[in-house]
Amino acid sequence: MRSIQRITKPTLAVLRVLMEADQSVHGFDVARRAGLAAGSAYNVLNRFQEAGHATSHWEDHNPVEGRPPRRFYELTPQGRVWAAEVLAAHPIKARHQLLPRLEIRSMGGLR
């Protein structure tokens, strides 16, 4: 098991999603709820697994035709203790504040 050295905003966002979930959550849904790109969320989830803070499993029934099977993630009991400590030590802003701010110009679109 590797320990997690850096606590980044994506790390905190994924932790919050997993702590708020009442059941395992598939990776793309973690990314969506955390406001992250899927690749960023999966990197964080993989680090959690390597550190022993999370486990995962593939969906156990046939996925929708044309869609690959989903992988579901959840914190281990030790991971929940660790996550609570990390979140208490690193209060994070609301999810919408983690995303980059976009300003709409009157005629020029997004800036």
Side-chain angles (χ1 to χ4, degrees):
M1 277 195 256
R2 293 176 24 193
S3 66
I4 296 178
Q5 300 296 319
R6 289 183 39 219
I7 304 298
T8 62
K9 285 184 180 182
T11 300
L12 295 170
V14 170
L15 275 180
R16 194 172 99 212
V17 168
L18 294 176
M19 286 292 283
E20 291 175 354
D22 55 355
Q23 59 186 3
S24 58
V25 185
H26 65 83
F28 189 76
D29 199 27
V30 170
R32 184 185 59 78
R33 291 183 193 183
L36 299 171
S40 296
Y42 285 113
N43 285 337
V44 171
L45 290 166
N46 288 336
R47 287 197 331 262
F48 289 174
Q49 284 191 274
E50 290 171 2
H53 298 310
T55 60
S56 68
H57 64 276
W58 292 98
E59 64 186 342
D60 55 1
H61 60 281
N62 294 332
V64 175
E65 187 173 330
R67 177 179 59 76
R70 291 178 173 168
R71 192 169 189 168
F72 289 82
Y73 297 85
E74 63 186 319
L75 293 171
T76 62
Q78 302 93 322
R80 285 197 160 279
V81 170
W82 172 77
E85 291 171 357
V86 168
L87 290 172
H90 298 87
I92 62 173
K93 301 173 184 175
R95 180 178 347 163
H96 70 276
Q97 292 175 324
L98 291 175
L99 300 175
R101 291 181 181 228
L102 299 176
E103 296 177 20
I104 299 177
R105 293 190 233 158
S106 58
M107 297 294 280
L110 295 176
R111 178 166 57 143

